[in-house]
Amino acid sequence: MLFCRLMPTVFLLSATMLVAPALASVPEPAHVLHHKDGPVDQTAKGRVDSEAFLRGIVAVRLGDDLEAAQAFRTALQADPANMDLLRQAFVRNVMAGDPQAVELARLVDKTPEDRSVISALVLGNDAATRGAWPDAVQYYHRAGADPMAHLIMPLLLAWCQQAQGHADVAIDSLLHAQSSVLMPFNALHAAIIAQVSGLSDKAGALFEQAQKSMPGYDMLLTRSYAAWLWNHGQQDKARTIIRKLVETDSILGLAGPALQANISHYPVTSAREGIARAYVLTAFLLRQQAHEQAQQGGGAEGAALNLYQFNEAARLMLGFALSMDPTLVDARLMLAEIQDDEQHFDAARETLVRVPPQDPLAIVATLRLAVLETTNDHPADAIPLLQHLAQQAPGQIVIERALGNALSQTKDWNGAIAAYTRAIDLANAQKTPDWTLLFLRGMAYHEAGDWEHAKSDTRAALAYAPDEPLLLNFLGYGMVEQHEDLKEAEKLLRKAHELDGQDAAITDSLGWVRVEQGDLAGGIPLLEKAAEQTPEDPEVNYHLGEAYWRVGRKAEAVDQWNVALGLHPSPADEALIRTALQKAGVTPTPQTTGQAAPAQPAQEQGKHTP
C-alpha cells in the first residue's frame, strides 16, 4: 500500500464507528435494493425511462461509474420528480467524479429529509473549490454529524481555517483534537498547514513530531518532510529518508529515482490539495477496516457484502479526493486496486491510464497497469509496457518477473526464461534468492520441452522451500510424466499430500503415480476423490479414465475421456485423450452438456503444469 507502509491494529476503526455510518452515507432509492453486484430494480414507477435505468444498473455491475452516471441522469430527465432516481443519479455522479454531481446535490439538498452526509460533503467541496470557505465550513459542519465524516472533520475544517488566513488556529485545533486514533495524521496535516502558510520553523518541528508518532513509513509525510529538509539545507538527510521509504517496498522502489529528482517539491501546496489528502486518508482507513473484518471471518456471503459496502464508501471518498485534485496519484492507485478487486478491469484500466506521466509515481502506475493487463488475459498489451519499464528502470526484479509472467501468458517460453533468468541473477546479486522465481523459470522450461532444466530449477527451489507442496507436486508429477524414478516421485507426492491433503491436483498426482506403478486399488480412490473435487479438470478426468480402463471398467473409462475432451484440454492433453479413445475403438463424443467448462488458461486447470 503506497499511502502508509504500516498500520497497526490500534489505528483501525471499530466496526461500531464505521459500518453503519458508511452504509447510511450512501443514499438508496426506496425501491432499489443494494446487492454486491449493484442495485436491483424491484418495481417500475412513474415515467421512468426503463432502458436508461437498466443501462445504469448494468453499468454499476460492471463498475463503469461514468456510464452509470450518464444513464441515471437520462432516466431522471424522463421523470425529474422521482426522488429515488435523483438519489441514484446523484450517488453515481459522485462516484464518477462528474461535475454534475454538484447540481444534483443542490437538488437533493432542497428537501431536508433527503439531505445526507454525501450531499453536504459534495456541496462543501464545491464551495472549497470556488474559494467560498465560509460556505464550505457550513456544509462540512453539517456533514460532521455523521460518525464517518466526524473522524476527518478536524482535517477538513483546519484546511478551511488555513485558507481563510487562520493557520495558527488550524494547527492548534488539529493538535488538540479529541480523537487520538488519527493523531499522527493530524500532526502531519498541521505541519503541512504550517509549511503552506509560511510558518517554516513550526512546520519543521511538527514534521519531526509526526515522524516520531507515525507507525511506519508514510508516503505523504516522507515526501513533505524531505522537501522541508532539502529546502533548509539538509540535503543528505532528505535523501536518506526518501531512500528508506522506497527500500520498504520493491514496487515503490521503482519510483526512487523520480522521488529523489523531485525531492525539493512539496506534494501539498494548497488547502484544496490538503482536503483531497484527507479524503484519501478516509478511504485508506475504510479499506483497512474491510481487511480487518475479513480476517475476523464470518459467512462468505456476508463477508462479500461487507467488503462491497466498504469499497463503495472508500470509492466515494476517493471520488471526493479526485474532484479536489484530479492529479492525485495516491487516490488513483487505491481506486484502481478496489476496481480490480471487484473485477472491473476496464474501469481500473481507465483509472490508471489517467495518471499524469510526469508524476514521480507514474512508473508505479504503469507497472500496476501492466500487471492488470496480464492477469486479465491481455498480456500482449502488457509486454510493451514492461519492456519500456525495463529500459526506463533497468535491473529491477519486479519488472523482469512481471515481464516473464506476461511472456509466459503468450507462450513465448524462451522470452519468459530469459526474463526470469535476469530476475534470478539480480536476486542472487542482491543476496535475496527467491524460490518462486526459480519455480516460474522451471515451469517455463517444462513448457518449452526442457525437462532437465525444469527439474534442476525445481530442486533448487526446494532447497529454499523444502516443505512447499506446490514444488513437491510439480517435481513429483513431472517425474511421473517422464517415467523417471517413480518411487522417488511417489515419496515427493506423499509429502505434498501430507502437507496439503485437500489440494485436488496433489491428490490426483499421488493417485496417478500409484496407478503408473500398478497399484490400481490404491490409486483409483485418490483419482476419484480428485475428480469429485475438480470435475472440470480434463487432466484429472483423463487419469481416472485410464485407471478405469486398466481395471476393465471400459465403458466408464470412455465416459471419462469424453468428459475430458469436452473440457477444452491443452493440446498435449487432448492428444493423449484422443489416443486413448482410439485405443478403445470409439469415436470421440465430448460430453459438453452440464459438466464442461469454458476454456481456461492452463495454469488455472491444476498445479501439475503451468
Side-chain angles (χ1 to χ4, degrees), residues 2-15:
L2 290 171
F3 182 74
C4 183
R5 309 317 307 169
L6 297 172
M7 179 65 68
T9 303
V10 70
F11 275 74
L12 298 176
L13 304 179
S14 69

Side-chain angles (χ1 to χ4, degrees), residues 246-367:
V246 300
E247 285 175 351
T248 63
D249 188 289
S250 61
I251 295 177
L252 187 57
L254 299 176
L259 289 170
Q260 293 285 5
N262 286 270
I263 198 168
S264 64
H265 301 292
Y266 291 98
V268 176
T269 59
S270 69
R272 183 172 172 175
E273 292 175 355
I275 290 172
R277 297 286 182 165
Y279 284 125
V280 172
L281 171 60
T282 312
F284 172 74
L285 292 173
L286 285 165
R287 292 283 282 165
Q288 287 292 95
Q289 183 66 17
H291 292 313
E292 173 78 358
Q293 287 213 338
Q295 292 174 358
Q296 292 174 355
E301 184 175 349
L305 183 57
N306 278 342
L307 180 60
Y308 170 77
Q309 292 164 338
F310 272 111
N311 282 344
E312 285 280 280
R315 286 170 61 203
L316 277 169
M317 295 301 108
L318 294 171
F320 289 153
L322 290 170
S323 70
M324 300 300 290
D325 182 3
T327 66
L328 187 50
V329 178
D330 305 62
R332 291 198 174 278
L333 288 170
M334 196 185 304
L335 178 58
E337 180 182 320
I338 294 172
Q339 291 165 331
D340 187 28
D341 287 348
E342 295 180 339
Q343 299 182 346
H344 299 319
F345 164 68
D346 290 335
R349 187 182 190 280
E350 180 64 22
T351 297
L352 290 170
V353 298
R354 295 173 67 182
V355 168
Q358 69 275 13
D359 191 278
L361 296 178
I363 190 170
V364 175
T366 301
L367 177 64

Side-chain angles (χ1 to χ4, degrees), residues 166-427:
H166 307 307
D168 286 332
V169 175
I171 292 168
D172 186 66
S173 69
L174 287 176
L175 296 181
H176 294 88
Q178 292 182 354
S179 173
S180 61
V181 174
L182 295 182
M183 186 51 67
F185 299 101
N186 288 346
L188 168 58
H189 278 257
I192 299 173
I193 285 174
Q195 176 56 44
V196 171
S197 304
L199 306 174
S200 189
D201 291 342
K202 180 175 285 190
L206 289 169
F207 279 132
E208 187 171 349
Q209 176 183 334
Q211 188 180 51
K212 289 179 180 178
S213 61
M214 189 70 72
Y217 290 96
D218 179 81
M219 172 70 76
L220 178 58
L221 171 57
T222 301
R223 292 185 64 188
S224 300
Y225 192 22
W228 187 92
L229 290 168
W230 184 274
N231 288 292
H232 287 77
Q234 301 182 58
Q235 283 83 5
D236 288 344
K237 187 174 181 180
R239 291 200 180 281
T240 297
I241 66 171
I242 290 290
R243 186 177 66 254
K244 288 183 177 179
L245 169 70
V246 300
E247 285 175 351
T248 63
D249 188 289
S250 61
I251 295 177
L252 187 57
L254 299 176
L259 289 170
Q260 293 285 5
N262 286 270
I263 198 168
S264 64
H265 301 292
Y266 291 98
V268 176
T269 59
S270 69
R272 183 172 172 175
E273 292 175 355
I275 290 172
R277 297 286 182 165
Y279 284 125
V280 172
L281 171 60
T282 312
F284 172 74
L285 292 173
L286 285 165
R287 292 283 282 165
Q288 287 292 95
Q289 183 66 17
H291 292 313
E292 173 78 358
Q293 287 213 338
Q295 292 174 358
Q296 292 174 355
E301 184 175 349
L305 183 57
N306 278 342
L307 180 60
Y308 170 77
Q309 292 164 338
F310 272 111
N311 282 344
E312 285 280 280
R315 286 170 61 203
L316 277 169
M317 295 301 108
L318 294 171
F320 289 153
L322 290 170
S323 70
M324 300 300 290
D325 182 3
T327 66
L328 187 50
V329 178
D330 305 62
R332 291 198 174 278
L333 288 170
M334 196 185 304
L335 178 58
E337 180 182 320
I338 294 172
Q339 291 165 331
D340 187 28
D341 287 348
E342 295 180 339
Q343 299 182 346
H344 299 319
F345 164 68
D346 290 335
R349 187 182 190 280
E350 180 64 22
T351 297
L352 290 170
V353 298
R354 295 173 67 182
V355 168
Q358 69 275 13
D359 191 278
L361 296 178
I363 190 170
V364 175
T366 301
L367 177 64
R368 181 74 185 86
L369 176 60
V371 172
L372 190 72
E373 299 278 17
T374 300
T375 56
N376 286 277
D377 299 327
H378 294 83
D381 294 326
I383 290 170
L385 291 174
L386 292 165
Q387 290 172 334
H388 175 71
L389 285 179
Q391 294 175 349
Q392 183 182 354
Q396 297 292 333
I397 296 173
V398 66
I399 294 176
E400 297 295 351
R401 176 198 289 270
L403 180 57
N405 292 344
L407 291 166
S408 291
Q409 286 262 341
T410 63
K411 302 189 185 306
D412 181 357
W413 306 117
N414 290 332
I417 289 166
Y420 291 138
T421 298
R422 290 191 295 270
I424 290 167
D425 291 344
L426 288 166

